[in-house]
Amino acid sequence: FGGRGIAYLDVHRLKELQNVDWATVDLEALKEALVQEMREFGPKRFKVVNTSVYHTWTSFLKEFRRHGGVLEAVPAECISSPVVNFFIHPHGQVEILSAQEQVLSPQYCCIGGYFPESSVP
């Protein structure tokens, strides 16, 4: 849908993650520090993809809180995303309808696709 409901965050810009020693880190303290950083800098660090729908981070966040959403971790080098469409029958049987590969723009919007997908065996 043209990035209608997408906002993204480059985690490399988070100061709290820049010099973490993952072998000895206090995860609870790191979590608290990240929450504080997000509260303080979130509106500046999150990028809303479709600003014609959500003009600001605040308007995006309002709808996210109202309707819910999905948070995904995506590698920075990601240029494609496998997609599987399936149907779950009322009795519980799962039927795979198709699998394809979405080609993504740098803002994680689907700009094309190819079939069959090839990134997942």
Side-chain angles (χ1 to χ4, degrees), residues 1 9 12 17-18 40 53 55 58 60 63-65 76 80 88 94 99 109 116 119-120:
F1 299 122
L9 167 70
H12 294 99
L17 294 179
Q18 292 185 2
E40 188 173 344
V53 176
H55 302 291
T58 304
F60 180 91
E63 289 301 306
F64 188 89
R65 287 179 173 157
S80 69
I88 302 174
V94 177
C109 293
S119 66
V120 179

Side-chain angles (χ1 to χ4, degrees), residues 74-82 101-106 108-114 119:
V74 180
E77 305 80 28
C78 181
I79 60 168
S80 69
S81 174
E101 192 91 17
Q102 291 182 336
V103 178
L104 304 174
S105 72
Y108 308 108
C109 293
C110 180
I111 57 174
Y114 54 91
S119 66

Side-chain angles (χ1 to χ4, degrees), residues 18-77:
Q18 292 185 2
N19 295 308
V20 174
D21 179 358
W22 292 102
T24 62
V25 67
D26 176 349
L27 291 177
E28 222 23 69
L30 178 60
K31 176 183 164 186
E32 289 175 26
L34 285 168
V35 167
Q36 181 58 38
E37 187 173 354
M38 289 294 89
R39 284 188 178 129
E40 188 173 344
F41 297 107
K44 294 177 184 174
R45 301 236 172 103
F46 281 92
K47 301 295 180 201
V48 176
V49 172
N50 193 334
T51 55
S52 65
V53 176
Y54 304 107
H55 302 291
T56 65
W57 166 247
T58 304
S59 64
F60 180 91
L61 187 58
K62 179 181 176 184
E63 289 301 306
F64 188 89
R65 287 179 173 157
R66 183 172 167 213
H67 297 287
V70 176
L71 302 176
E72 294 182 82
V74 180
E77 305 80 28

